[in-house]
């Protein structure tokens, strides 16, 4: 039945793909104009509708660049409850910025974090407020072609590579596969840590990069659990029963990670970017109470944590303790230094060309 429904969606997929193809040709042929800015702009995005691990890659770039340059991130602020341009400050919340920008702001308070649906208008506003900005990271901007970045980084999930996918609603692509040609750099994310050299070569051949396009492979690395309120490290005995509360596109990698160290792990899933309400806390408390074992703990992601913090008083009233699992990325095949130098070369070359 599911396959039959997908076949029915195929004509809509063709129509949407044609619309996106036409739009892209207009930009390629300068019928529609893209704005360029006089500083390094790095866009990080994907062809698919989410779950590629984009956020930890943006954070990798933040950590790489922030000690050498004044950097800023600019996101649309998906599912936030505000409109227009907004620069994060000490009073900002996830509902104002969106969960991912709020996560950047909390973890890296020394950088500028801003949101704005219209990137070409938001960047001048950012530069007026933060004139010392030297590098801008555009979050989830691969399809936002009104701004022409100096570097386009496209991320594709190892288990859902764009080469084997189709345009929505038949598949998960936001535009046709040939969109990859705009990328300067393609990162295959969420790879198995033990990915073989043979499979790496096969995937690279499958992608068929253009001359000059860089291809890298990354895997997820989970860090030390910490308490959502105190930020203190949390150590959980292996006999503890875990309830993973997750409102993200693909919780499966984290679920498998937890199952590798704990025997009893249960998932309570919510929609991606979901804003929790009081009745959801009741549900979490009820699910936790029904789990087996004497020792139980709620685990969540950093994205979920910034949204759950909006309900901090209710969580404290219910005495619900939550541990947060951070995630980072690591480059496979010893290619981290190569990627770092690739980024630094672009930023520094841009600066030397505009002195």
């Amino acid at each position: 039945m599911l396959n039959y429904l997908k076949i029915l969606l195929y004509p809509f997929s063709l129509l949407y793909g044609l619309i996106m193809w036409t739009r892209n040709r207009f930009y390629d042929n300068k019928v529609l104009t893209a704005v360029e800015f006089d500083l390094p702009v790095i866009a990080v995005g994907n062809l698919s509708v989410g779950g590629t691990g984009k956020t930890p890659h943006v954070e990798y770039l933040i950590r790489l660049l922030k000690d050498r340059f004044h950097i800023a991130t600019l996101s649309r602020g998906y599912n936030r409850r505000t409109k227009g341009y907004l620069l994060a400050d000490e009073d900002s919340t996830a509902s104002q910025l969106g969960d991912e920008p709020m996560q950047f702001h909390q973890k890296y308070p020394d950088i500028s974090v801003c949101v704005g649906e219209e990137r070409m208008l938001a960047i001048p506003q950012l530069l007026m407020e933060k004139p010392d900005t030297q590098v801008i990271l555009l979050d989830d901007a691969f399809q936002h072609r009104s701004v022409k970045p100096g570097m386009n980084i496209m991320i594709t999930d190892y288990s859902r590579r764009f080469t084997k996918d189709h345009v929505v609603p038949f598949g998960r692509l936001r535009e046709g596969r040939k969109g990859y040609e705009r990328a300067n750099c393609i990162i295959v994310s969420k790879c198995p840590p033990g990915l073989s050299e043979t499979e790496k070569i096969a995937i690279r051949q499958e992608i068929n990069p253009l001359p000059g396009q860089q291809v890298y492979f990354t895997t997820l690395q989970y860090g030390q659990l910490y308490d959502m309120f105190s930020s203190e490290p949390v150590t959980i005995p292996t006999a503890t029963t875990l309830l993973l509360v997750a409102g993200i596109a693909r919780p499966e990698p984290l679920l498998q990670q937890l199952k590798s160290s704990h025997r009893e792990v249960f998932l309570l899933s919510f929609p991606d970017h979901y804003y929790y309400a009081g009745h959801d806390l009741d549900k979490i408390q009820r699910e936790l109470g029904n789990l087996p074992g004497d020792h139980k703990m709620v685990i969540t992601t950093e994205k979920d944590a910034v949204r759950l913090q909006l309900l901090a008083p209710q969580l404290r009233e219910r005495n619900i303790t939550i541990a947060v699992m951070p995630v980072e990325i690591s480059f496979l095949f010893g290619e981290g230094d190569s990627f770092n130098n690739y980024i630094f070369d672009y930023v520094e070359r841009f600066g030397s060309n505009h002195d």
Side-chain angles (χ1 to χ4, degrees):
M1 181 64 176
L2 186 59
N3 288 336
Y4 179 69
L5 288 174
K6 285 196 72 174
I7 291 170
L8 288 177
L9 292 173
Y10 191 65
F12 297 98
S13 183
L14 290 175
L15 177 60
Y16 181 75
L18 177 61
I19 292 170
M20 291 301 294
W21 180 87
T22 303
R23 173 182 177 269
N24 283 328
R25 294 294 76 73
F26 281 174
Y27 275 109
D28 293 341
N29 295 319
K30 297 183 170 47
V31 177
L32 295 175
T33 303
V35 179
E36 293 186 70
F37 291 91
D38 195 23
L39 79 169
V41 177
I42 302 174
V44 182
N46 47 45
L47 285 182
S48 68
V49 291
T52 60
K54 173 180 56 62
T55 301
H57 286 82
V58 175
E59 290 191 352
Y60 183 95
L61 289 168
I62 292 172
R63 291 191 299 274
L64 179 67
L65 295 168
K66 71 182 182 67
D67 293 332
R68 291 175 60 171
F69 306 96
H70 294 291
I71 69 170
T73 66
L74 171 57
S75 311
R76 190 179 89 186
Y78 180 78
N79 208 29
R80 62 187 171 119
R81 293 169 178 171
T82 57
K83 296 290 183 184
Y85 170 82
L86 189 65
L87 179 67
D89 60 27
E90 63 273 10
D91 298 319
S92 296
T93 65
S95 63
Q96 296 170 328
L97 300 178
D99 52 6
E100 292 168 3
M102 187 64 196
Q103 181 177 321
F104 301 152
H105 180 52
Q106 279 193 345
K107 294 179 73 173
Y108 309 103
D110 52 336
I111 73 166
S112 301
V113 174
C114 62
V115 293
E117 297 89 346
E118 298 294 336
R119 317 288 174 103
M120 64 184 294
L121 301 178
I123 290 176
Q125 290 180 275
L126 165 66
L127 295 176
M128 274 198 304
E129 292 195 55
K130 297 289 183 177
D132 60 344
T133 300
Q134 295 173 293
V135 183
I136 296 177
L137 302 178
L138 293 183
D139 177 31
D140 197 15
F142 199 70
Q143 283 75 37
H144 292 270
R145 300 200 58 188
S146 60
V147 172
K148 184 178 180 180
M151 177 176 288
N152 242 326
I153 298 176
M154 192 195 93
I155 301 171
T156 186
D157 188 329
Y158 164 84
S159 61
R160 294 180 173 179
R161 296 191 290 276
F162 74 94
T163 51
K164 300 177 180 296
D165 208 343
H166 301 274
V167 174
V168 294
F170 185 75
R172 296 175 55 82
L173 298 183
R174 297 171 174 178
E175 59 176 294
R177 296 173 191 172
K178 285 181 69 66
Y180 90 97
E181 295 177 355
R182 295 199 307 278
N184 303 98
C185 172
I186 298 168
I187 297 178
V188 183
S189 66
K190 299 186 178 180
C191 296
L195 185 72
S196 70
E197 187 78 30
T198 300
E199 188 173 6
K200 169 193 172 182
I201 293 170
I203 293 173
R204 184 182 172 85
Q205 289 174 340
E206 176 187 302
I207 291 172
N208 191 26
L210 301 177
Q213 271 187 333
Q214 305 296 308
V215 179
Y216 293 96
F217 297 79
T218 62
T219 189
L220 296 179
Q221 283 190 332
Y222 294 96
Q224 170 67 53
L225 285 161
Y226 61 89
D227 183 88
M228 193 177 83
F229 294 115
S230 69
S231 298
E232 292 297 319
V234 172
T235 301
I236 302 176
T238 56
T240 305
T241 301
L242 304 182
L243 177 65
L244 173 59
V245 175
I248 58 175
R250 290 196 63 213
E252 293 82 9
L254 177 52
L255 185 65
Q256 293 306 313
Q257 169 68 18
L258 294 172
K259 285 183 175 180
S260 70
S261 58
H262 290 77
R263 188 171 61 254
E264 299 282 359
V265 184
F266 299 84
L267 173 64
L268 181 56
S269 185
F270 292 88
D272 195 16
H273 301 284
Y274 181 75
Y275 282 100
Y276 297 93
H279 62 86
D280 298 309
L281 302 189
D282 294 334
K283 185 175 182 180
I284 291 170
Q285 199 165 29
R286 188 166 56 250
E287 291 284 335
L288 195 62
N290 291 335
L291 295 184
D294 297 325
H295 302 285
K296 309 167 189 179
M297 174 68 75
V298 175
I299 309 291
T300 198
T301 71
E302 290 187 306
K303 283 187 192 178
D304 287 285
V306 296
R307 285 178 269 118
L308 283 164
Q309 284 168 356
L310 296 169
L311 300 175
Q314 295 96 312
L315 284 166
R316 289 192 172 97
E317 282 176 17
R318 291 169 169 81
N319 198 29
I320 299 176
T321 302
I322 299 178
V324 182
M325 177 67 89
V327 61
E328 296 182 359
I329 59 105
S330 175
F331 283 84
L332 297 177
F333 308 105
E335 292 180 340
D337 287 344
S338 171
F339 177 81
N340 296 350
N341 291 333
Y342 177 64
I343 298 298
F344 283 134
D345 285 348
Y346 159 67
V347 173
E348 290 167 355
R349 186 173 66 251
F350 190 101
S352 64
N353 290 340
H354 289 74
D355 286 341

